[in-house]
Structures are given as C-alpha cells and as structure tokens.
Amino acid sequence: MSLLLDRLWGGFLDTLLMVGISSLLALLLGLPLAVVLVVSDRNGLYENVSLNRVLGGLVNLFRSIPFLILMVALIPFTRMLVGTSYGVWAAVVPLTVAAMPFFARIAEVSLREVDHGLTEAAQAMGCKRGHIIRHVLLPEALPGIVSGFTITLVTMINASAMAGAIGAGGLGDLAYRYGYQRFDTQVMLTVIVALVALVTLLQLAGDRLARRLNHRA
C-alpha cells in the first residue's frame, strides 16, 4: 500500500508539473493571440483582415488535430527543444501546442462579448488603442477568460493522462503501466479518483474566481 501511495504521489507531482508549465505557457502565448485575433478583425482596433485570416487558419488547424497524433507529429520538434521525446519535459511541448490555440479561441469569444459601446465611448474620450485593450477589453472580459482558462486546465489534465500512457510520466503512466498492463484494478481506481478530485478542485476554484471578478453579477 505504501508503495502504491509513493507511486501515486510521484505521478501526481509529475502531472502537476506537466500541466502547470504547459498551462502557464498557453496563457502567456494564447491570450495575446486572442487579443490579436479580435483587434485585427474587420472593424477592429487594428484592422488587418489578412493577418486575421492567417492566424485564424493556423488556430483552426492545430485545434483540429487529435492530441495523440499531434504529440507524435511533434516528436522531432520536441526532441530539438528539450533534447528528448520521452518523459515529463517532453510532454510539455505538445501539451502547450495543443492548449494554446484551444485557449486562444475561448479567450477570443470572451473578448468579443465585451460591449462595443464601452470601446466606442473610450475612443470618443480620446483613449489610445493600446489603453483600450489594457483598460477596457481585458478587464471586462476577465471573468470569461478565467472560466475559459479553467476549461483549458481540465482539458490539459485529460491530455496529460493520455501522454502519460505513452511514456510521458504522470498519473496516466501510472494507470497504464501498473494498472492496465498488470490488470491491477486498485491502481486504476486510485488514479481515477485522483484525477476526478484534481479536476473538481480546479473547476471549483476557477468558477469561484470568475464569480468574484464578474462585477456585473
């Protein structure tokens, strides 16, 4: 039992590491991408339809590729970046590539839901476009962005379990090697409970933070 707990704790920490680093990178890269998609659209603050279509096409392309296929396709790129295609750090690359366009689309929807009257009023007051983005668009869309990021985190936990099943480590690796391959139901059930608990806690925390930030509620 103690050995199982040690393995579970190690897999849990590996999963947190994978998801934590990947989610941070997805946030830092996906949110600016969402802003560019919104402001470069037709009648946007920085209208550039050609750029918008190219970026939108790339986002749709990577969102349409199943994670397992994407992870295998990125093996050469992953090996070039981190020096290996196996283990926790190798999983960070495909997780980030998969999560960034997913989160960007969700954040884009939240940004588009901001009342156009607010941006028009800011423009009428003489605010610069950069100030409108920082002080109107992003603050107003923040509750939706937080909710979208929470959904992204849950999706990444699911993907990290899939990555673990093919050698990336974490709870997925534990479930596959010690549960599935050895027909150990106890290990499988323990991993399932751990994943459900982690997802539930993240969802509750994200929902609570989004409600706090929603000044319109």
Side-chain angles (χ1 to χ4, degrees):
M1 187 65 181
S2 60
L3 182 59
L4 173 59
L5 290 176
D6 289 341
R7 287 172 177 167
L8 181 65
W9 179 244
F12 184 76
L13 292 179
D14 285 346
T15 296
L16 287 183
L17 181 62
M18 280 190 287
V19 174
I21 295 175
S22 303
S23 61
L24 178 60
L25 292 173
L27 176 64
L28 294 177
L29 298 173
L31 185 56
L33 177 58
V35 172
V36 173
L37 285 170
V38 171
V39 301
S40 65
D41 202 1
R42 200 176 301 277
N43 299 322
L45 293 173
Y46 294 90
E47 182 177 342
N48 190 328
V49 178
S50 298
L51 175 63
N52 185 273
R53 288 177 178 173
V54 171
L55 290 178
L58 289 173
V59 168
N60 290 336
L61 172 65
F62 281 98
R63 285 182 61 215
S64 64
I65 303 175
F67 178 71
L68 187 60
I69 296 175
L70 179 65
M71 186 165 50
V72 174
L74 288 174
I75 285 178
F77 181 64
T78 300
R79 189 179 291 115
M80 181 183 68
L81 284 182
V82 299
T84 181
S85 59
Y86 184 88
V88 172
W89 290 102
V92 169
V93 177
L95 281 172
T96 302
V97 174
M100 183 180 68
F102 180 83
F103 172 63
R105 278 302 187 199
I106 296 178
E108 179 191 1
V109 171
S110 298
L111 289 166
R112 291 189 186 279
E113 289 178 347
V114 174
D115 188 355
H116 290 289
L118 295 175
T119 58
E120 291 173 357
Q123 286 178 308
M125 294 171 60
C127 293
K128 295 181 179 180
R129 291 177 293 184
H131 289 166
I132 294 175
I133 294 173
R134 290 195 300 272
H135 301 296
V136 178
L137 277 179
L138 288 174
E140 288 295 319
L142 192 56
I145 291 173
V146 170
S147 295
F149 188 63
T150 303
I151 296 173
T152 304
L153 280 173
V154 172
T155 303
M156 292 175 70
I157 291 173
N158 295 334
S160 71
M162 190 185 306
I166 60 171
L171 292 173
D173 179 60
L174 179 65
Y176 181 73
R177 283 200 297 163
Y178 297 99
Y180 175 74
Q181 289 188 333
R182 300 185 183 184
F183 303 100
D184 192 332
T185 305
Q186 183 182 12
V187 173
M188 293 290 290
L189 290 177
T190 304
V191 171
I192 290 172
V193 170
L195 288 172
V196 170
L198 179 58
V199 167
T200 302
L201 288 174
L202 285 175
Q203 190 67 59
L204 289 174
D207 291 344
R208 184 174 182 181
L209 179 59
R211 285 195 297 268
R212 282 192 172 187
L213 293 172
N214 189 2
H215 59 83
R216 291 170 291 183

